[in-house]
Amino acid sequence: MESQVDFDINDALKYYLSDPATVPTPEAKGNLQDCENDPESLNNGLVNSVLNPIVDAIAENPEALGRCSTFDSLQFLLKSASQLPTHTLSTLFDLIISGLSSKVDALHNDLENEDQEAFRQQKQLLEMYAFLLQWCIAVVEVKAAEKTSAAPAKGRGTGKGAKAKGAAKDGTWDSSAQLQTAMDTMCKVLKLKLGKIFVTTSERDTFVGLFTRAVYLILESEQRIKSTALRMHAFKVLCIAVKHHGHAFGAQTSIIQNLSYFEHLAEPMAEFLHILSEQYDYPQLADEVLRDLSSKEFNNNDTRGPKSVSSFFVKLSELAPRLVIKQMMLLIKQLDSEAYTLRCAIIEVCGNLIMDLSKQEERNENSKTQINAFFDLLEERFLDINPYCRCRTIQVYMKLCDLEQKFPKRRQAVSELAARSLEDKSSNVRRNAIKLLGKLVTTHPFSVMHGGQLSYKEWDERLQGVEAQLNALKPPADSPGLGEKNSQGEAVVDSELLDDATTLDSPRKEAATMTEEQKAATLKKVVEDAATSELVTRLQLTRKYYNEAIRFIEVLHAGTPVVCQLLSSKNKSEVIEAMDFFVVIDAYKIEAAKTGIRRMLRLIWTKGNSDEGKGVQTHLIDCYRGLFFSAPDSFSGNDVANYIARNMISLTFGATPAELTSLEQLLNTMVKADHVSDLVVTKLWQVYGVQKQEISKNQRRGAIIVLGMLATADPEIVVKEMGSMLRIGLGPLGRKDLALAKYTCLALRRMHSTKQQGKETSVALSKLANDHAILTQLAAMVEIVSDSKEWFGVAEQAIGAIYTLSKHPDTLCSDIIRRKTRHVFHSEGTPKDTDAMEGVETGLPSPPPEEPKRKQKGSLALSQLLFIVGHIAIKQIVHLELCELDFKRRKVEKEKTKAVNGSPVKSASVDEQELDLIGGTTEDDFTDAMSHIRERELLFGENSLLSSFGLMVTEICSNNTAYQDEDLQAAATLCMAKLMCISSEYCEKNLPLLITILERSHNPVTRSNVVIALGDMAVCFNHLIDENTDFLYRRLNDSDASVKRTCLMTLIFLILAGQVKVKGQLGEMAKCLEDSDKRIADLSKMFFTELATKDNAVYNHFIDMFSLLSAEKDLEEDALKRIIKFLSSFIEKDKHTKQLADKLAARLQRCESERQWNDVAYALSLLQHKNEEIQKTVNGGFRLVETAA
């Protein structure tokens, strides 16, 4: 009989854990021994010849493994596993599993036998099988890892042929099922009474360790752990080992190590502890692990460890919050950890524990105390130094908002914290704060009594009603009893007790008998008092409820302006969240939502170059579609159109010009995307054209405003309804409502897109004759007599419409000027006015009449005439430019036709004759002719209508004592400024007068108009204005904010467009960075940000700006520092930084005051210069420099 193995598990493990290849196998089959030095010779036939007999032997009797040759042969095969094909390895794996399983089944019966010698032999066999099983699993995992890493390479191989070849050689083997069987067998072994087999604890631990080591090895594979079945089998083995075989300490150590080295094991380890606690009633291990981790400190460079531990904490608190809450006092220490991921985890754990405690059916004082403590921790974390922690806190609160229990006091506190977080420096925190506020609104607890709306006005009215009811129930102030009790509270109770104590001397009064009637009356009074008391209590609770709702609404109102600002954020996801917030609060009727929804409109201008920009525009359109273009499902088609039309009109109510411009762009985009149906357009025309019913002026105006906007995308919308506009806006209704007439004229201008003028042939052909009804009515609208300020807007748009629609607008406008002049100077009953104006025309003016009434009427009529003249002059210049463009276009087309046809074919067509006439004219000749008309004919020609007015406006502007009417002066100045844009000669002649008006006028509107005019002249006649830009820059210090803002915008345009040269005045614009008007400060920031992109402009002018700013006495030191810090952020090149540092350092020696020295030193501190001499000079301080000087 073959000798039996004398197996020592400790020796075997020593070799195996050192290097499996060193495990001695002296008794292996001879033919295997021959392959030890030549692994390639280990072929399938040889392996099968050895393995098959062993399989048969063990199948017959599991104890066959005890033979030396069998055991060593199996060990040899496992050593050579890398050379074995997978099917052989699978057979070997099955052999060990089945042998161990059979042995376990046999052992169940033998354990009742008390023969120690038998146990010793069984123990050795069990250890041998367990040792081989552990080794086999390790080999299988190595194979699986190789397969996983080779998979991508195989995919990039030489194609299907290579794949098929590999499959044929290796076979496809999924060892998952065998691993599950192996772990099932382990469980069977561990369920034995191992205490009888393994006498000492160390022996048992060594044996159990063979199984647990293999299981941990399986868990180390990220692919294996994804299989739920494998994971559950592994957990089962470990749970039995911990529960029944003292593996707790080993498991604790392994879990800590796994969390440190394997990120994917964070959540599975939490799941394992949960199963161990719930199914095996062993929470002690979780407690120990949590205690161990709570005291663990992580290195700053360690990112994997804290991340893995954090995931573990969070997952365990989700699965087994009761386990975590016991150790919470220790875990809270991690809030002081430098690793922000751990702080994030504890924050989330607090949230999970609150969720668990709030769902408990039986709540006691202890659970309430715990909930409050966790809420306190969360509220503190709103001030965490790391933005990720602040974000996580907000996200936790978003989960808590969905709980059935609302925690009203805590909701109020967190709403205030979220509103504060809207101003956080981190965009991620701000974005999450917006989401939290939206979540607080959608889950608010104030929907019990009056529905879910949160209108402040409605809630305030309800509160006032309750207050009135409570006041009515209070007894008069002089009545005893209830009134005192209600008003004084506990103090009354104390005094009554004292009264009872002092009236013990006369108890007979109380003992007096009462009649039946008195008893009934007393009883009735008691019942009434009880009912009143109950009502008062109910009303007081209602008042408290209303007060809480109002406080919450007030927080939302306070936070809304900040969210409005965030609509301008550079972070597009933040902008999208802000839009969603306004959509949500609008659904709950919160009044402040209207402001945000209007502010959202400007986002239609977001640059769409990137996906983010397009995303903002698309999201804005989706929001507006949801808010204004989506009717309830129950509406019919007609009702839907009415609903949408009414909403579109409402968007124009109270809108500023900027908002209307943005709304126009939005509607233009929506029409192009086919989001506006024809039926809605029809409804809008019906609202505009209705005459039988009285409708509000705003509604009719709104309809034509919207139609004009829609026409920018589809002019046919307006072209089809010219009759309606003629009848309504240019008819009696328009004369009564000048704003309606103005918007009608604007809509008529949309019949021709401004982008098409001078470019498309169809435009010229579709122009109207001057006797067309539309043009006749437009001219009439310009000439109507009105004292309203709105007349100027009507005249502006009507003249614009004439130049857009007419074939010969100059002829028609000449007639308008003539008729209006006759009306002004030949009006009945105003001979003095006539004489005065005739004097002006001849150049010898006389003062206007002194009679107050006539003077006012005459000055207004003259103001209107001058406005018409000025606006026609500007439009005439544009008309000439369009004529020039049209000429060039037609000439190019003719040349193309010649090139195609070879020689032109003669034709009697008028247009072709015209083309023949211009065929010999060069573009330069035509341009020169146009320039001559503009320069000499319009203002100085013998037959020019405008020539007389040039002299007139100069006279009025230069004699402001004779012509004292402020409106007339404003109109004359505007007219003169427009005429100056026509001719350089006229401009040069009157420029000193215009600058004098700019400097001395008390009217901010006039000053703003002159600033804009100077900007236009800088474009037209740059050589004239270039010498006078200082006068423009001075307006940056204007006392009126509107003039200052206008000046800044004009200068921004001129500088960025390269129309004016900057000569050191940029310091004036830099001062605007600290302006009290936020819009001016924002404009200035935008300007310098854009300027910084243009050829080192900020660097080139930095010293000049610094000189001007440091010399400014009115500029505070802190303001100067903020400006310099902002400007220095644009100087990025090292070369520029060093040069600036040298220039500034030279100034230190010349500083006359400590303030100057401090300013220079601060500027130097912002520059990353590396000059030791400069640093030494700065460190020396002002006094040292002064002494040296």
Side-chain angles (χ1 to χ4, degrees), residues 1134 1137-1138 1141 1167-1175:
D1134 290 340
T1137 302
K1138 289 176 182 177
L1167 301 172
Q1168 299 301 317
H1169 57 84
K1170 297 176 182 177
N1171 190 321
E1172 291 182 5
E1173 288 185 13
I1174 294 175
Q1175 196 64 47

Side-chain angles (χ1 to χ4, degrees), residues 381-440:
R381 288 298 115 189
F382 270 94
L383 296 175
D384 195 286
I385 58 170
N386 190 285
Y388 290 107
C389 295
R390 301 198 292 275
C391 285
R392 185 61 58 87
T393 307
I394 293 171
Q395 290 161 3
V396 166
Y397 267 107
M398 278 190 266
K399 289 182 186 177
L400 295 177
C401 285
D402 292 323
L403 292 175
E404 288 183 18
Q405 192 177 350
K406 296 299 182 183
F407 302 105
K409 289 182 181 177
R410 293 295 180 174
R411 287 178 76 93
Q412 180 63 31
V414 79
S415 63
E416 292 168 6
L417 291 169
R420 187 181 68 188
S421 295
L422 292 173
E423 300 180 69
D424 197 283
K425 66 180 180 181
S426 164
S427 64
N428 208 13
V429 176
R430 296 195 299 267
R431 182 171 60 83
N432 279 284
I434 297 170
K435 287 176 77 172
L436 176 56
L437 281 175
K439 190 73 171 177
L440 287 166

Side-chain angles (χ1 to χ4, degrees), residues 34-203:
D34 297 338
C35 300
E36 188 158 10
N37 297 320
D38 185 16
E40 294 297 326
S41 61
L42 193 69
N43 55 43
N44 285 351
L46 176 61
V47 171
N48 289 335
S49 67
V50 173
L51 190 57
N52 289 339
I54 295 174
V55 170
D56 294 338
I58 290 179
E60 185 179 339
N61 182 6
E63 294 183 6
L65 185 68
R67 298 172 192 155
C68 289
S69 61
T70 303
F71 185 67
D72 280 1
S73 296
L74 291 177
Q75 285 192 114
F76 185 90
L77 290 174
L78 288 172
K79 278 201 298 183
S80 309
S82 58
Q83 305 298 321
L84 298 178
T86 50
H87 65 85
T88 304
L89 200 56
S90 176
T91 305
L92 187 59
F93 198 10
D94 276 336
L95 169 66
I96 297 168
I97 294 169
S98 59
L100 179 58
S101 181
S102 302
K103 187 63 193 164
V104 171
D105 292 338
L107 265 174
H108 269 296
N109 302 322
D110 297 343
L111 280 177
E112 300 304 324
N113 187 354
E114 299 294 334
D115 185 1
Q116 291 298 323
E117 184 60 30
F119 284 162
R120 193 186 70 76
Q121 188 181 355
Q122 304 299 347
K123 170 193 158 196
Q124 184 171 307
L125 270 172
L126 279 177
E127 286 177 339
M128 290 163 67
Y129 272 112
F131 176 74
L132 290 178
L133 180 60
Q134 173 201 249
W135 195 348
C136 195
I137 288 173
V139 168
V140 167
E141 288 305 294
V142 169
K143 279 280 185 184
E146 288 173 358
K147 183 180 175 184
T148 306
S149 60
K154 193 197 278 189
R156 293 192 297 269
T158 54
K160 292 181 181 177
K163 274 189 189 177
K165 190 175 178 182
K169 180 185 175 185
D170 244 7
T172 54
W173 176 44
D174 181 11
S175 55
S176 298
Q178 286 172 294
L179 284 172
Q180 290 178 40
T181 309
M183 287 189 281
D184 276 335
T185 307
M186 290 181 192
C187 291
K188 283 169 68 176
V189 174
L190 293 174
K191 286 177 182 176
L192 294 174
K193 295 177 181 177
L194 295 181
K196 289 187 176 182
I197 302 172
F198 299 96
V199 181
T200 64
T201 307
S202 62
E203 288 178 340

